[in-house]
Amino acid sequence: MASPLNTTLLIIGGGPGGYVAAIRAAQLGVPTVLVEGEALGGTCLNIGCIPSKAMIHVAEQFHALQKYAAGDSPLGIRAQAPELDLAQTLSWKDAIVRRLTGGVATLLKRHQVTVVQGWARIVDGKTVDVSPVGAKGRAGAPQRIRCEHLLLATGSEPVALPFMPFGGKVISSTEALSPARLPKSLAIVGAGYIGLELGTVYRKLGVKVDVVEARDRILPAYDADLTRPVLASLKSLGVGLHLQTHVLGLSEGGQGIRIQPPKADEKVLAAEQILVAVGRKPRSRGFGLSSLVLDMNGLAVQVDDRCRTSMNGVWAIGDLTGEPMLAHRAMAQGECVAEQVAGQTRRFLPQAIPAVCFTDPEVVTAGLSPAQAGASGVEVLEGVFPLAANGRAMTLESTDGFVRVVARRDSHLIVGWQAVGRGVSELAAAFGQSLEMSACLEDVGHTIHAHPTLGEAVQEAALRALGEAIHI
Ligand code: FAD
Ligand code: NAD
């Protein structure tokens, strides 16, 4: 083995958690090594957030043209039936991915982070061996790296159904984002984030889509008021929804899947491909993590409010630490750890971690829902402003939806925001800022919001909670 590489901070995983930690640590003068086995940018940039949003945009454009071609548009636009050049679509999406991952590589280099390409295997809390890419799990001639601080940022991977493992016609989001060709029909298991974001993409591109969900409603992580417009949109797109339904396995002959609907006989749902989207699990196996004897929550590494594990000098961030598995949470944790390694006092105690589901319409939440606030014993006021009363929403043909604010009845301190509607993902910034800055209803209600924007619905929701809404 070559002589070991010594560093202050060693990061395993170059996803949004790991690469942000590396850049921030290097900014603060901490010698940093980042090990990545696959591609810089991790799940988010390569096979997650970015390619999925690119495909959502393609599907929206294609679908709009289809509607215009069918004469189904009040806008007065007429068009010929569109055609999809899938190879060009994928190369556009891949170019965005390359630009972003290349940008990450450049930033790391500019900050003098040492990037080691290969699979890391933990020897102990201060020592890691890195095998060259391609030698995952095999004994080769690894590079040994010694560190003062070890940051684990190995992310997550899709959960497989044991009776229907990935392979052949059973695919995960990774394959669904890079199809060689579009199937005629797609059955999706799971009506969560991935199932509905990608299900909508495939449906808008002309694929027959059926979604099978074990629970009694779609997007069970969000409250029912928020998901109602999404449900209506899925129905109008012609997505087949099979709620409270269990998947039993592939059908004999492989024409589809066997499903068990509620109070009915088992049946076969025909599908050329099956996308399994039943969640993701922390990637905590296969690289020697068990040698550290860390406190765990199932497969997730347990961390405290400083992102410290139960072992001194070993930190963990991002999907590896469990829910919510969101890129912006991983990034914020990464910065938090980097600053502590550099000697600063930091805690990871955000007021809110916004969540956005990029369905049509989009759903966004930050902080507490009325039910969550109620359950915590706080008496709350609610203000709901429908997008049907917002001029900008009308001009965007997106009047289905609303913005809702939740605030303490006694002090008017805002404790939560929710919205559903086309384009509302961009309101996440305003929601997060008002919560992080402890804004009250009066702060938002009496701020001048530009006209005409969806942001006015944010202001009006706050005013409505105060009984002062103008446009309703
Ligand atoms: P990851 O991004 O998973 O990165 C971990 C990295 O570690 C990987 O590159 C991996 O190769 C590397 N690694 C693992 N083990 C080793 C090892 N032993 N040695 C070397 N390297 C190793 N989140 C959002 O916030 N918004 C979205 O819109 C969104 N959309 C998504 C869409 C899809 C289809 C998917 C699958 C996920 C989406 N997510 C989204 C979730 C988001 O991608 C993750 O929360 C985020 O990537 C987690 O970051 P991370 O740094 O913890 O891990
Ligand atoms: P998810 O947790 O969002 O949804 C999984 C769904 O599958 C749930 O509705 C669950 O009830 C259902 N389910 C579970 N087992 C089932 C079974 N056997 N049969 C039928 N239904 C079953 O998980 P996901 O969609 O796979 O996404 C994984 C994670 O990736 C998300 O939790 C999120 O953290 C992240 N993600 C985020 C975004 C975003 O932020 N916009 C987008 C995609 C993914």
Side-chain angles (χ1 to χ4, degrees), residues 299-322:
L299 286 175
V301 172
Q302 200 174 305
V303 287
D304 65 7
D305 63 9
R306 291 173 56 185
C307 301
R308 292 180 302 190
T309 69
S310 52
M311 191 170 170
N312 214 3
V314 179
W315 312 74
I317 55 172
D319 287 7
L320 177 67
T321 61

Side-chain angles (χ1 to χ4, degrees), residues 43 48-49 52-53 56 156-159 161-163 173 188-198 212-222 242 245-247 276-281 319 322-328 354-359 363:
T43 303
C49 322
S52 60
K53 270 75 240 177
I56 287 168
S156 63
E157 56 200 357
V159 170
L161 293 172
F163 51 85
S173 52
I188 300 176
V189 189
Y193 280 93
I194 293 176
L196 295 192
E197 287 187 4
L198 297 188
V212 182
E213 166 61 48
R215 304 270 300 271
D216 60 357
R217 60 193 192 83
I218 60 162
L219 292 175
Y222 291 99
H242 309 265
T245 299
H246 292 277
V247 177
V276 174
V278 295
R280 293 178 64 84
K281 59 180 180 186
D319 287 7
E323 299 286 347
M325 293 196 195
L326 297 172
H328 41 283
V356 178
C357 191
F358 292 83
T359 36
V363 180

